Amino acid sequence: MFQIIKKLNVLLDKKQKTTMAGLMFLMVIGAFLQTAGVGLLVQVVNIVIDPDAIRKSRIASTIYSWFGSPDYETFAVTIMVLLIATFIVKNLFLYVQQKLTFAFIYTNQFRTSERMMRNYLRRSYEFYLRADTDTAVVQRSITSDVNNMYALILALLQMMSDGVVSLFIITYCFLTNGTMTILLAVVMVLLMVGVKVVLKPIMYKAGKDNQDYYS
């Protein structure tokens, strides 16, 4: 992971790094909105099922006091409208975030391929006569390698986004039910260790074979 980040630090210029930092900031906001949507949904379901949930839940009682302690029916309708508004804002924000992310990935993917093509076209004819210069490898570098690099960047951005969302939701779940959250965290860690030990070597070999066979 750290090796990938070091390589990207060399490959990306200052403007691209700044854009990625901005995208990561948007991910934090999106994670907060998604957590707010999940938390509010749980509270709405509890309130609709059990009116006493307003008194039992600290979050529900806080929201209830914010609205001036109205009657149950008014509060239930109000919190449902708030839930709908939260989901609308969240989905609009996530749409803009995804649009900016894909624009960043595919615009820079095209520019990198174009820059590499121009670089190879400027090389002398003798460069392509060398024994260690394979035309198929040059073609692969311009097309497949660039595509895979930006696919990796996209995967890293999505992983960071999911990681931030998971961190927010885990924090919320821990505050709600700490024992169950710890149990699920242990199971997830064991699964991640299994993926790293078993699947990572297989995927690495498959990717290396694909790269060699493509050239």
Side-chain angles (χ1 to χ4, degrees), residues 1 4-5 8 151-161:
M1 182 67 179
I4 294 175
I5 295 176
L8 292 179
L152 174 63
I153 295 175
L154 179 60
L156 286 175
L157 289 173
Q158 291 175 339
M159 185 178 69
M160 291 177 185
S161 177

Side-chain angles (χ1 to χ4, degrees), residues 108-119:
N108 286 284
Q109 177 179 312
F110 171 77
R111 289 176 178 173
T112 302
S113 295
E114 182 185 29
R115 189 165 66 249
M116 291 186 67
M117 174 66 79
R118 292 179 182 275
N119 181 271

Side-chain angles (χ1 to χ4, degrees), residues 39-113:
L40 193 58
L41 178 61
V42 173
Q43 298 301 323
V44 169
V45 172
N46 290 335
I47 291 171
V48 171
I49 295 176
D50 181 16
D52 290 337
I54 300 175
R55 178 175 50 83
K56 296 177 182 177
S57 174
R58 183 175 58 184
I59 298 176
S61 61
T62 302
I63 298 175
Y64 184 71
S65 62
W66 283 351
F67 286 103
S69 303
D71 58 90
Y72 170 73
E73 289 78 10
T74 303
F75 179 69
V77 172
T78 303
I79 200 171
M80 286 182 183
V81 173
L82 180 62
L83 175 65
I84 294 172
T86 301
F87 271 85
I88 290 175
V89 172
K90 181 197 72 171
N91 290 331
L92 287 175
F93 184 87
L94 293 178
Y95 167 76
V96 174
Q97 176 190 325
Q98 289 294 319
K99 186 179 178 64
L100 293 175
T101 300
F102 284 114
F104 167 76
I105 292 296
Y106 292 111
T107 299
N108 286 284
Q109 177 179 312
F110 171 77
R111 289 176 178 173
T112 302
S113 295

